[in-house]
Amino acid sequence: MAEQIPCKSLERLGFKRYKCRKCGVTFWSKVPRETCGDAPCEKYRFMEIPAKRFGYDESRKLFLEFFERNGHKVLAPRPVVARWREDLYLTIASIVLFQPHVTSGLVPPPANPLVVAQPCIRLEDIDNVGLTMGRHLTNFIMGGHHAFNYPDKHVYWIDETAEYAFKFFTEYVGIPPEELTFKESWWEGGGNAGPAFEVCAGGLELATLVFMKYEVKDGKYVEMPIKVVDTGYGIERIAWIASKEPTAFHAVYGDLLHKFFDELGVEEPEPKILTAALVEGYSAGSVDELAAAVSRATGASVESVRDVLSKAIEVFSLLDLTKTIALMLSDGVVPSNTGEGYLARLVIRRALRKLKLLGARIDLASLVLMQVDKWSYMYPRMSRMKSYISDVLAVEERKFEEILKAIPSIAKRFARRKPSVDELVELYDSRGIPPDVLAEYLKKTFGIEIEVPRDFYSLVAKRHSRTPLAKLVEKSKLPKEVVDWASRYPPTRMMFHENQYMRSFTARVLGINRNYLILDATAFYPEGGGQLGDKGRICINGDCASVVDTQKVGSVVVHVLDRPLSANEGDFARGEIDWDRRYRLMRHHTATHLLLGALRRILGEHVWQAGAEKTESRARLDVTHYKTPTKDEIDKVEKLVNEIISQRLEVRTSIMDRNEAEEKYGFVLYQGGVPASPKIRVVEIPGWDVEACFGTHVSNVSEVGAFKIVRVEKIADGVVRFEYVAGPAVVDYARSLEDSLSTVSKALGARPSEIVVRAVAISRELKELSEKLKEYRRILKEMAIRDIVSSATRIGSVQLSKYVQSIEDMQLLREIAREATSQRSDLILIAVMPKEDGSFIEISLGREAAKVIDARSILSKLAKIINARGGGKRDHVTAVARVPPSEVIKALDSVIKELT
C-alpha cells in the first residue's frame, strides 16, 4: 500500500515533488533531479558532500540536544533485551519501547513528545555485515523522536516532522539543503503501518520518518485513533557522513578498529580500496563479486583485492559482532537454545567461526572485553557485568569446540546424499553445527559439494526473532464453553488484593453454570503467576459445596465447585478459603521473591526468572544461568535467604502507574511476566526485590519462617531449577528426611548417630570387594579364553568354539568374546549365559572369520530351532532365548553340523 504524503512545510522550504526515473518512487527535492537520492538509484557520493566534522558520540549528543531544544523530553535508553515485551526478544527499533501498550492507547507515553537514542539489535542482516562496508550492522543506535496524537490532543504530525529533519540535517549536521531528498515510502512493523519519508543525501539513507496511522488486522489496514510519529535516525550513518571515513566501522570504532586489525594479524586495506568497495560494490552478493567490482574501479588485480578484502570484511564483522555480544550479555542474556539466549548464542558462534577462519590466536572474550572497555562510558552496565561476560564466553567457546569435534560423526549420515536447507537449519538449531564447516568436511571427506545459502544466519535469526504464538496464547484449564460464558461478565472485585489475610467473605451471585460459579467479589485467589488457585467452601441459601479450584478468565474469577449449587443471580454467597493451604502458598510465594533476590546477588545480575510454581508442599523457581551452581554457591544462597527472613523486612504491595513504576524500578519489575494494563500491582521487599506480581504474599518476610533448598538441577541449556520449602513445609521435609534416616539406619544395622561411620565403612568394604572382583574376573577371563582357543574346532579356514558361562555376568561374557576374537582373528565364538527366564547368546567373529561367514546367518539358523530373538552386525550379534543354556547348546550342535 502506498499513500501520497502531503507536506506543506517542505513546500514552504522550497521542495517540490519529482519522480525517480530509475525506481519510479516519488520524492521531494529543493533542486530538480532525476533520481531519488538513495542508492542504488544514485551512487554513493555522501563522502564528498560538505558537512560539519564530528564523531560518533557527538552525533548522538547533537541529535538529543536538537530535539530537547525543540520541546522533547529526553528518555534514558532501554536495554537491548525487550524485557517489557512478551512477543519480542530484542529491541529492534525505538518504537518497540511503546508497542503495543502506548500505540494501542492502553498506557499513556512517558512523555509527549519525547526523544531517545536507543541501542538496537537486528540480526536479519547478519550475513551482510562487513561486506557492505557498514551499511548493514547487527547493532546500532536509533535516534527516535516520537509524538503521540490523540483525538483530543494533537502534538505534531507530518509537517513538523519533516521540518525537524530538514533543520537538524542542515543546521546541526551541516548538509547543504539541495543535497537532501525526502523519498516517499511505506512502513510496516509490530502490527502497525503508515506512510513514511526516507531522508537521503548522496545515496545514503540517514533517517526514516514514519507516520503511523494504521493497525494491521487480519491483513487489513484499520485506522488508529492514536496517530504516532515514529522516526529512526541512523546515528552511525550521521557519524559516517560527518567523519568522511571510508567505512562506518571507522566512523564508529575509531582506534579500536586499528587495534582489532593488529590483534587479529590482518593488514588494513588502503582507503581507496574501501571507498571503491563501498561505491562500486553496492549490489555485490559475495566477496568474489565485490573484488571484481573493486578491481574494475581501481585497476588492481582481482586476486590481490580479494585477498585483502576477504580478511578485512571478517575483521569488520567481528567488530560489529563483538559489540553486539557485549550489549546482549551486559543486559543479562544467558546463551541457550531458546529465546534471546538462542540469538546471543547465534552471534557468539558466528564470531567464533570467523576467528577460526582468520586463524586468530586471540580468544573471543578478549575482543569482547575490548568493546566493554570502550563503551562502558555509554553503557555503564557493561563494566559491572565484565566478569560474567568473560566467564560465559569461556563456557561458550568450550561448547563450540565440542560441536566441531562432533562434525565427523554427524557428517556420516550425508555420505551418499546432500543435506537439504531444512536439514542444515535443523542441525544448527538442535546441535549448533555451522553449515559452512559441515560443507567443508563433506567436500573433503566424501567429495560431496553442498551450497549453503548466503543468508543462512539471517534466515535462522528471523525464525527465532519473536516469541512463538503458542507461547503467547494463555491456555485456560476451563472448558472453552465456560471461558466463553465467563467472558460476558464484568470484572470481579478481587478482595484477596484488598486484604491478603481475609479468610471468609460474603458476595452476590452473578452467574452459575453447572459447577462453575461467578461472584461479584471474592477472596479466592485464582491460579496465576505460578501460584495455585485457592480451595475452600462456598454456601448459598444453606447449601454448601467445596471449591476444588479457582481460575480466571480475563478479570473474571471462576470458582470450580465439586458439585452444582442451586442459586439465582443476586443470591448471597458465603465463602471460606482453606486458610492453612493459602497461608502455605503465601509463604512459598514470598520465599520465591526472596530466593530470586539472593540468586541475583550470589550468581549475578544476569539471573532472570524463567518459570515458577508455588504449591502448598513446596515451590520451584527456574532461572537463567549458564552453569549448574556449586554446592558452595547453593549454601550461600540458602544462608542469605534465611538471613533476610530474620531481618523482618516488610512486604509492600501497591498499585502504580506503569510508567511511574518502570521509571522508579526499571524492567526487573517484569521477572514474572508483563501485565497488559496501564496500572500494575507492585510487590516490593525494600532493598531486596521488587516485581510486578498478581499473587498473594505475607506482610513481613519473617512469616516465611525457615527456608530450605531441597534440589537444584539444570533442566535445559541455560536454565537451572531450584526446588525449596518454607515455613511448615520445612518441618514436613525434615520429617521425611528423618523417616528416610530411620529406614537407612535399620538397613545398615546402626543407630542414626552412627550412620555416617557405618556408611563410610561399608563404602570402603565395597571398594575392596570391587577390586577383588576385578581380579577374580580377570583370572576367570584368562582361563575362559584359554579354554575357548584350545577347544576350537577348525571348519575350513576358520576356527569355531562354543562357551557356556555358568554365572550371570553380562559384562564378563562380552569382555571374553571381544578379547578372544581379538586374539584369534579366524575365530567364531558362540557364547551362552543363563538369565532369569532363559539364556543370553553372544556370537562374535574375528576379523578374518567375518570375511568368510556372517554372524547374522548363524543366528538365523539357531533361531529356527529355539526361536531366539536378536540382531547385530556381520561380526557380532546378541540374542535371547526362552530356553535354558543346555537347550541352546543342543541347538548349537545342530547348527555346527550344518556349518561343517
Side-chain angles (χ1 to χ4, degrees):
M1 181 173 177
E3 281 189 13
Q4 195 173 66
I5 309 175
C7 190
K8 292 179 181 178
S9 64
L10 288 181
E11 290 176 354
R12 285 197 307 270
L13 291 166
F15 282 75
K16 292 182 179 179
R17 264 200 181 91
Y18 299 91
K19 188 171 184 178
C20 180
R21 69 175 177 83
K22 289 191 175 181
C23 67
V25 167
T26 300
F27 67 94
W28 296 68
S29 174
K30 278 184 73 72
V31 296
R33 57 169 71 220
E34 293 187 342
T35 60
C36 61
D38 193 10
C41 298
E42 180 176 322
K43 277 192 174 184
Y44 284 134
R45 58 176 187 82
F46 63 87
M47 307 80 68
E48 304 163 6
I49 293 176
K52 295 180 180 180
R53 298 298 290 267
F54 49 81
Y56 180 54
D57 193 36
E58 194 173 355
S59 299
R60 178 178 65 96
K61 291 175 180 176
L62 283 173
F63 172 78
L64 295 174
E65 178 189 315
F66 173 81
F67 284 98
E68 187 175 26
R69 285 187 175 183
N70 283 278
H72 294 66
K73 180 180 178 180
V74 177
L75 289 192
R78 291 191 180 184
V80 295
V81 185
R83 299 292 193 190
W84 58 93
R85 296 278 295 261
E86 297 275 28
D87 61 330
L88 195 64
Y89 297 126
L90 301 176
T91 308
I92 57 173
S94 60
I95 192 63
V96 163
L97 279 57
F98 313 108
Q99 288 174 314
H101 302 118
V102 176
T103 55
S104 67
L106 182 68
V107 178
N112 195 13
L114 57 85
V115 63
V116 62
Q118 177 60 44
C120 299
I121 293 177
R122 287 185 196 165
L123 302 180
E124 283 83 352
D125 292 318
I126 191 171
D127 295 292
N128 288 320
V129 174
L131 184 68
T132 58
M133 302 297 115
R135 197 169 76 246
H136 295 95
L137 302 168
T138 62
N139 74 82
F140 55 93
I141 293 177
M142 178 176 284
H145 70 89
H146 302 272
F148 303 88
N149 297 285
Y150 293 84
D152 59 347
K153 183 186 178 182
H154 178 82
V155 183
Y156 64 78
W157 193 230
I158 295 172
D159 288 344
E160 298 90 337
T161 304
E163 190 168 358
Y164 281 142
F166 177 80
K167 287 184 176 180
F168 174 73
F169 285 118
T170 57
E171 296 175 12
Y172 272 58
V173 183
I175 298 173
E178 64 274 11
E179 293 288 357
L180 288 175
T181 61
F182 288 74
K183 178 180 164 185
E184 294 189 2
S185 182
W186 182 260
W187 177 91
E188 288 190 29
N192 298 115
F197 279 136
E198 293 173 5
V199 186
C200 304
L204 187 66
E205 183 185 335
L206 296 171
T208 302
L209 317 177
V210 178
F211 308 105
M212 190 188 295
K213 56 190 289 191
Y214 298 108
E215 185 178 1
V216 184
K217 285 186 175 180
D218 301 321
K220 296 179 180 178
Y221 299 106
V222 180
E223 191 159 348
M224 297 161 52
I226 302 173
K227 306 298 189 292
V228 181
V229 173
D230 167 28
T231 68
Y233 285 61
I235 302 300
E236 287 77 9
R237 293 188 173 197
I238 294 168
W240 196 1
I241 199 171
S243 66
K244 308 304 180 189
E245 294 283 5
T247 74
F249 301 104
H250 289 77
V252 172
Y253 294 97
D255 290 342
L256 187 60
L257 178 142
H258 306 303
K259 191 172 182 181
F260 262 55
F261 271 96
D262 185 53
E263 292 286 354
L264 293 166
V266 175
E267 181 185 353
E268 290 190 48
E270 295 178 25
K272 68 175 184 179
I273 296 292
L274 296 175
T275 301
L278 173 69
V279 176
E280 304 298 334
Y282 181 88
S283 60
S286 66
V287 175
D288 286 344
E289 291 177 11
L290 184 63
V294 172
S295 174
R296 288 192 295 270
T298 63
S301 70
V302 173
E303 293 75 15
S304 64
V305 172
R306 185 192 298 113
D307 182 59
V308 71
L309 277 183
S310 62
K311 293 176 182 177
I313 287 168
E314 301 294 7
V315 177
F316 293 152
S317 182
L318 279 166
L319 267 168
D320 173 79
L321 295 175
T322 50
K323 185 181 177 186
T324 296
I325 292 166
L327 286 165
M328 294 180 83
L329 297 186
S330 64
D331 273 345
V333 178
V334 176
S336 66
N337 293 328
T338 58
E340 65 270 15
Y342 176 96
L343 298 174
R345 178 165 283 167
L346 182 148
V347 179
I348 290 168
R349 290 182 175 172
R350 182 79 167 143
L352 287 169
R353 175 58 180 153
K354 290 185 178 296
L355 284 175
K356 290 278 185 187
L357 290 171
L358 287 173
R361 294 183 180 180
I362 191 170
D363 60 13
L364 179 60
S366 297
L367 294 177
V368 174
L369 292 180
M370 289 180 200
Q371 297 280 10
V372 170
D373 291 339
K374 179 171 180 62
W375 301 110
S376 287
Y377 79 94
M378 193 180 290
Y379 309 109
R381 187 177 169 86
M382 278 190 182
S383 57
R384 297 205 311 269
M385 300 292 282
K386 199 170 184 177
S387 177
Y388 164 68
I389 291 170
S390 180
D391 287 350
V392 80
L393 286 176
V395 171
E396 287 299 303
E397 193 152 2
R398 286 196 296 272
K399 288 181 178 179
F400 187 69
E401 292 296 332
E402 290 168 7
I403 286 169
L404 296 182
K405 290 176 184 176
I407 286 178
S409 61
I410 291 169
K412 288 179 182 177
R413 74 173 81 166
F414 304 112
R416 291 183 177 83
R417 67 176 182 86
K418 295 182 179 181
S420 66
V421 173
D422 285 343
E423 285 175 312
L424 291 176
V425 171
E426 192 277 329
L427 279 172
Y428 185 81
D429 278 351
S430 62
R431 303 290 297 275
I433 303 298
D436 53 329
V437 180
L438 179 64
E440 286 176 9
Y441 186 86
L442 288 174
K443 183 178 180 180
K444 181 180 177 182
T445 309
F446 303 112
I448 294 176
E449 292 193 32
I450 62 171
E451 187 174 338
V452 179
R454 198 184 71 79
D455 59 347
F456 177 85
Y457 290 95
S458 301
L459 292 170
V460 171
K462 193 171 183 179
R463 290 189 185 193
H464 292 268
S465 64
R466 290 182 175 270
T467 307
L469 185 61
K471 286 188 177 182
L472 293 174
V473 177
E474 189 176 343
K475 295 179 181 178
S476 176
K477 289 185 177 180
L478 300 171
K480 185 180 183 303
E481 63 272 16
V482 174
V483 172
D484 293 341
W485 165 72
S487 300
R488 298 196 292 267
Y489 287 90
T492 307
R493 177 185 161 202
M494 299 180 185
M495 303 166 81
F496 51 82
H497 278 171
E498 298 169 11
N499 180 0
Q500 297 177 107
Y501 290 82
M502 183 180 287
R503 305 185 185 197
S504 61
F505 66 97
T506 301
R508 285 187 179 275
V509 174
L510 292 185
I512 189 161
N513 182 350
R514 304 192 309 277
N515 59 319
Y516 300 98
L517 174 68
I518 295 174
L519 305 174
D520 67 343
T522 186
F524 280 86
Y525 178 82
E527 182 173 355
Q531 181 178 328
L532 295 180
D534 280 338
K535 296 182 179 181
R537 191 172 72 150
I538 287 180
C539 298
I540 303 173
N541 300 325
D543 192 13
C544 300
S546 294
V547 178
V548 295
D549 194 12
T550 309
Q551 294 292 318
K552 186 163 68 79
V553 177
S555 296
V556 178
V557 178
V558 180
H559 306 81
V560 184
L561 310 178
D562 66 340
R563 65 181 183 83
L565 286 176
S566 178
N568 296 309
E569 183 180 346
D571 286 350
F572 280 99
R574 174 77 177 172
E576 286 186 21
I577 66 172
D578 181 340
W579 175 249
D580 180 66
R581 179 176 180 275
R582 155 74 88 74
Y583 195 43
R584 282 173 170 250
L585 287 167
M586 288 165 64
R587 285 168 145 176
H588 274 138
H589 202 148
T590 303
T592 301
H593 287 223
L594 292 173
L595 174 60
L596 186 57
L599 290 171
R600 286 175 64 82
R601 285 162 175 81
I602 300 298
L603 301 183
E605 292 181 46
H606 61 277
V607 167
W608 196 267
Q609 181 173 319
E613 182 182 53
K614 303 97 184 177
T615 70
E616 63 268 34
S617 58
R618 67 171 55 194
R620 66 167 173 81
L621 175 65
D622 302 337
V623 297
T624 55
H625 189 50
Y626 58 99
K627 59 184 177 182
T628 304
T630 63
K631 184 181 183 303
D632 181 56
E633 288 171 330
I634 295 167
D635 290 345
K636 285 180 179 178
V637 168
E638 184 176 273
K639 181 182 178 182
L640 189 53
V641 171
N642 282 297
E643 286 176 356
I644 296 300
I645 290 171
S646 68
Q647 290 181 21
R648 303 180 61 82
L649 298 177
E650 182 185 1
V651 181
R652 300 172 184 169
T653 60
S654 60
I655 304 298
M656 298 182 68
D657 286 331
R658 188 189 197 93
N659 290 326
E660 180 191 351
E662 290 179 352
E663 185 174 356
K664 184 175 181 179
Y665 299 114
F667 301 103
V668 72
L669 275 171
Y670 302 133
Q671 289 269 357
V674 185
S677 57
K679 292 184 179 293
I680 58 178
R681 183 172 182 264
V682 176
V683 176
E684 180 185 10
I685 303 171
W688 190 255
D689 180 79
V690 60
E691 297 179 44
C693 181
F694 187 77
T696 57
H697 290 267
V698 296
S699 62
N700 190 289
V701 298
S702 62
E703 294 181 57
V704 172
F707 174 86
K708 176 66 183 170
I709 296 172
V710 299
R711 183 184 176 90
V712 178
E713 62 177 333
K714 185 178 178 181
I715 61 167
D717 198 13
V719 181
V720 177
R721 171 168 292 173
F722 288 80
E723 293 185 15
Y724 46 96
V725 289
V730 175
V731 178
D732 296 340
Y733 178 70
R735 191 172 291 120
S736 71
L737 290 181
E738 286 178 347
D739 292 342
S740 299
L741 196 64
S742 177
T743 302
V744 173
S745 176
K746 290 177 183 178
L748 294 178
R751 290 194 294 270
S753 60
E754 299 171 344
I755 283 179
V756 174
V757 175
R758 182 66 180 135
V760 169
I762 290 175
S763 177
R764 187 166 51 247
E765 290 171 14
L766 285 173
K767 189 174 181 180
E768 291 171 357
L769 287 172
S770 178
E771 292 300 318
K772 288 179 181 178
L773 183 60
K774 283 181 183 178
E775 181 61 18
Y776 292 149
R777 188 179 267 137
R778 184 188 64 78
I779 295 170
L780 185 56
K781 183 168 57 178
E782 289 178 355
M783 292 171 60
I785 291 172
R786 279 199 302 270
D787 289 345
I788 288 168
V789 172
S790 62
S791 64
T793 304
R794 177 160 293 282
I795 304 175
S797 61
V798 300
Q799 298 274 349
L800 187 144
S801 185
K802 57 186 177 179
Y803 169 70
V804 179
Q805 182 174 291
S806 58
I807 59 173
E808 189 174 344
D809 187 335
M810 185 83 72
Q811 180 185 340
L812 176 61
L813 186 72
R814 286 180 169 165
E815 287 178 6
I816 289 171
R818 184 175 62 250
E819 292 188 24
T821 52
S822 177
Q823 289 181 20
R824 292 291 301 268
S825 63
D826 62 345
L827 179 66
I828 299 173
L829 174 62
I830 305 173
V832 186
M833 178 189 77
K835 61 188 295 286
E836 188 177 348
D837 56 351
S839 300
F840 180 82
I841 306 163
E842 185 101 4
I843 303 175
S844 189
L845 279 64
R847 188 176 64 256
E848 295 301 322
K851 295 177 182 178
V852 178
I853 194 166
D854 192 327
R856 291 168 295 191
S857 67
I858 299 175
L859 177 61
S860 176
K861 296 177 187 296
L862 187 63
K864 291 177 182 177
I865 304 172
I866 58 170
N867 194 27
R869 290 178 292 106
K873 298 183 292 185
R874 182 180 181 85
D875 62 347
H876 179 251
V877 296
T878 58
V880 293
R882 290 185 176 276
V883 296
S886 57
E887 294 294 322
V888 177
I889 294 300
K890 286 181 184 178
L892 279 173
D893 289 339
S894 300
V895 172
I896 290 168
K897 285 180 183 178
E898 190 174 338
L899 289 172
T900 55

